[in-house]
PDB file of all heavy atoms in Angstrom:
ATOM      1  N   GLU U  28       3.868  25.584 -11.677  1.00 98.00           N
ATOM      2  CA  GLU U  28       2.839  25.921 -12.662  1.00 98.00           C
ATOM      3  C   GLU U  28       3.316  25.281 -13.960  1.00 98.00           C
ATOM      4  O   GLU U  28       4.372  25.653 -14.471  1.00 98.00           O
ATOM      5  CB  GLU U  28       2.739  27.432 -12.826  1.00 98.00           C
ATOM      6  CG  GLU U  28       2.251  28.131 -11.560  1.00 98.00           C
ATOM      7  CD  GLU U  28       2.769  29.553 -11.462  1.00 98.00           C
ATOM      8  OE1 GLU U  28       3.937  29.743 -11.071  1.00 98.00           O
ATOM      9  OE2 GLU U  28       2.014  30.477 -11.772  1.00 98.00           O
ATOM     10  N   GLU U 171      -2.870  25.405 -18.040  1.00 98.00           N
ATOM     11  CA  GLU U 171      -1.917  25.716 -16.972  1.00 98.00           C
ATOM     12  C   GLU U 171      -2.350  24.930 -15.739  1.00 98.00           C
ATOM     13  O   GLU U 171      -3.457  25.110 -15.226  1.00 98.00           O
ATOM     14  CB  GLU U 171      -1.853  27.212 -16.670  1.00 98.00           C
ATOM     15  CG  GLU U 171      -0.865  27.463 -15.532  1.00 98.00           C
ATOM     16  CD  GLU U 171      -0.478  28.920 -15.321  1.00 98.00           C
ATOM     17  OE1 GLU U 171      -0.544  29.703 -16.285  1.00 98.00           O
ATOM     18  OE2 GLU U 171      -0.103  29.248 -14.188  1.00 98.00           O
ATOM     19  N   ASP U 213       7.046  26.318 -14.695  1.00 98.00           N
ATOM     20  CA  ASP U 213       7.556  27.425 -13.897  1.00 98.00           C
ATOM     21  C   ASP U 213       7.686  26.856 -12.489  1.00 98.00           C
ATOM     22  O   ASP U 213       6.716  26.342 -11.929  1.00 98.00           O
ATOM     23  CB  ASP U 213       6.569  28.595 -13.888  1.00 98.00           C
ATOM     24  CG  ASP U 213       6.388  29.197 -15.284  1.00 98.00           C
ATOM     25  OD1 ASP U 213       7.211  28.891 -16.173  1.00 98.00           O
ATOM     26  OD2 ASP U 213       5.425  29.960 -15.471  1.00 98.00           O
ATOM     27  N   ASN U 215       8.434  27.280  -8.574  1.00 98.00           N
ATOM     28  CA  ASN U 215       8.501  28.225  -7.461  1.00 98.00           C
ATOM     29  C   ASN U 215       9.234  27.575  -6.301  1.00 98.00           C
ATOM     30  O   ASN U 215       8.850  26.489  -5.861  1.00 98.00           O
ATOM     31  CB  ASN U 215       7.091  28.615  -7.018  1.00 98.00           C
ATOM     32  CG  ASN U 215       6.359  29.375  -8.112  1.00 98.00           C
ATOM     33  OD1 ASN U 215       6.420  30.591  -8.170  1.00 98.00           O
ATOM     34  ND2 ASN U 215       5.694  28.642  -9.010  1.00 98.00           N
ATOM     35  N   ARG U 239       9.254  33.161  -1.999  1.00 97.00           N
ATOM     36  CA  ARG U 239       9.615  32.281  -3.123  1.00 97.00           C
ATOM     37  C   ARG U 239      10.202  33.050  -4.288  1.00 97.00           C
ATOM     38  O   ARG U 239       9.931  34.233  -4.476  1.00 97.00           O
ATOM     39  CB  ARG U 239       8.380  31.530  -3.594  1.00 97.00           C
ATOM     40  CG  ARG U 239       7.415  32.425  -4.346  1.00 97.00           C
ATOM     41  CD  ARG U 239       6.115  31.710  -4.650  1.00 97.00           C
ATOM     42  NE  ARG U 239       5.024  32.652  -4.736  1.00 97.00           N
ATOM     43  CZ  ARG U 239       4.422  32.989  -5.877  1.00 97.00           C
ATOM     44  NH1 ARG U 239       4.828  32.461  -7.014  1.00 97.00           N
ATOM     45  NH2 ARG U 239       3.427  33.834  -5.869  1.00 97.00           N
ATOM     46  N   GLU U 241      10.551  32.395  -8.573  1.00 96.00           N
ATOM     47  CA  GLU U 241       9.959  31.563  -9.605  1.00 96.00           C
ATOM     48  C   GLU U 241      10.962  31.410 -10.751  1.00 96.00           C
ATOM     49  O   GLU U 241      11.439  32.403 -11.287  1.00 96.00           O
ATOM     50  CB  GLU U 241       8.680  32.241 -10.112  1.00 96.00           C
ATOM     51  CG  GLU U 241       7.994  31.498 -11.233  1.00 96.00           C
ATOM     52  CD  GLU U 241       6.757  32.230 -11.731  1.00 96.00           C
ATOM     53  OE1 GLU U 241       6.768  33.474 -11.735  1.00 96.00           O
ATOM     54  OE2 GLU U 241       5.793  31.550 -12.117  1.00 96.00           O
ATOM     55  N   LYS U 243      11.415  30.394 -14.410  1.00 95.00           N
ATOM     56  CA  LYS U 243      10.490  30.313 -15.551  1.00 95.00           C
ATOM     57  C   LYS U 243      10.917  29.317 -16.614  1.00 95.00           C
ATOM     58  O   LYS U 243      12.110  29.117 -16.846  1.00 95.00           O
ATOM     59  CB  LYS U 243      10.420  31.694 -16.217  1.00 95.00           C
ATOM     60  CG  LYS U 243       9.387  32.598 -15.603  1.00 95.00           C
ATOM     61  CD  LYS U 243       8.161  32.671 -16.513  1.00 95.00           C
ATOM     62  CE  LYS U 243       7.090  33.564 -15.950  1.00 95.00           C
ATOM     63  NZ  LYS U 243       5.842  32.855 -15.679  1.00 95.00           N
TER      64      LYS U 243
HETATM   65 MG1  LIG L   2       3.578  32.218 -11.338  1.00 92.79          MG
END
Side-chain angles (χ1 to χ4, degrees):
E28 295 152 281
E171 179 168 334
D213 296 346
N215 295 269
R239 73 187 152 108
E241 178 182 34
K243 273 256 180 242

